[in-house]
Amino acid sequence: MKRLAAILLCLIILTPLFAEPEVFSHPADLSDPGFIAFCDGFQNASLSADFTQIRRLERLGIELESSGRVIIPENIGMAWLTEKPYESIMIVTDSAVEQRFANGTVMEMDVSGNIIYTAIADAIQNVFSGDFRSASEEFSVFYTGSDNSWEIGLI
């Protein structure tokens, strides 16, 4: 649980490090018709993307790299399909976290009622579902974009 919470919190906190700095010069106007149309594009959609994650173990002086695919079906949760260095699947819903390993081991954790987990999960779901009005209750939202390219920043 602590590991998952730390990973999700890092995704939210480190967002400014992965976005182009220029995006933070453009606060999102939540009432702008162009921004509203952008957000509406997330509705009734499932998202998926490849990911690469690097963890630096400073004390040991090494980096661990994992990669795979993340899938976010509409209003269900998310699934992290890690392919390298070891195959595993982590399924995150509003009430549970389940991790399945290639050797058949399954670990499940009930997180219903955990307010910290719920807050992090809600924030991530808001971002990936395009509900930036709800995300703006907890974060400052920044946006630059066009029809084919866009950037979102959260602080």
Side-chain angles (χ1 to χ4, degrees), residues 15 17 19 26 39 50 67 74 76 83 107 127 148 150 154:
T15 297
L17 298 177
H26 304 280
C39 294
D50 294 326
S67 62
E74 181 192 11
I76 296 173
E83 297 165 352
M107 295 181 353
V127 169
N148 298 322
W150 51 268
L154 302 175

Side-chain angles (χ1 to χ4, degrees), residues 93-105:
T93 67
D94 59 352
S95 62
V97 176
E98 180 179 292
Q99 191 157 13
R100 296 172 182 239
F101 298 94
N103 67 3
T105 304

Side-chain angles (χ1 to χ4, degrees):
M1 171 59 186
K2 288 182 183 178
R3 180 177 176 208
L4 173 65
I7 290 169
L8 295 176
L9 188 58
C10 284
L11 285 173
I12 293 169
I13 291 172
L14 296 178
T15 297
L17 298 177
F18 298 108
E20 290 292 322
E22 184 179 331
V23 72
F24 295 103
S25 301
H26 304 280
D29 178 355
L30 301 178
S31 63
D32 176 67
F35 186 71
I36 292 169
F38 164 77
C39 294
D40 287 346
F42 286 86
Q43 302 305 313
N44 303 315
S46 294
L47 301 176
S48 66
D50 294 326
F51 75 87
T52 300
Q53 178 180 357
I54 298 173
R55 297 180 193 166
R56 291 179 178 83
L57 303 177
E58 299 295 331
R59 290 184 180 172
L60 300 175
I62 60 173
E63 290 184 348
L64 303 174
E65 184 175 309
S66 60
S67 62
R69 189 143 189 86
V70 62
I71 300 171
I72 305 167
E74 181 192 11
N75 298 321
I76 296 173
M78 65 175 53
W80 293 83
L81 311 172
T82 303
E83 297 165 352
K84 295 179 182 178
Y86 305 104
E87 289 185 9
S88 70
I89 299 172
M90 181 169 59
I91 300 168
V92 181
T93 67
D94 59 352
S95 62
V97 176
E98 180 179 292
Q99 191 157 13
R100 296 172 182 239
F101 298 94
N103 67 3
T105 304
V106 176
M107 295 181 353
E108 188 171 350
M109 183 176 9
D110 178 7
V111 293
S112 57
N114 183 319
I115 58 172
I116 293 171
Y117 172 84
T118 302
I120 292 169
D122 287 348
I124 290 171
Q125 187 65 36
N126 289 338
V127 169
F128 286 114
S129 67
D131 185 0
F132 293 102
R133 185 165 310 284
S134 294
S136 71
E137 293 173 10
E138 302 295 329
F139 299 95
S140 296
V141 178
F142 299 84
Y143 167 79
T144 61
S146 64
D147 290 342
N148 298 322
S149 175
W150 51 268
E151 293 179 65
I152 290 289
L154 302 175
I155 297 178

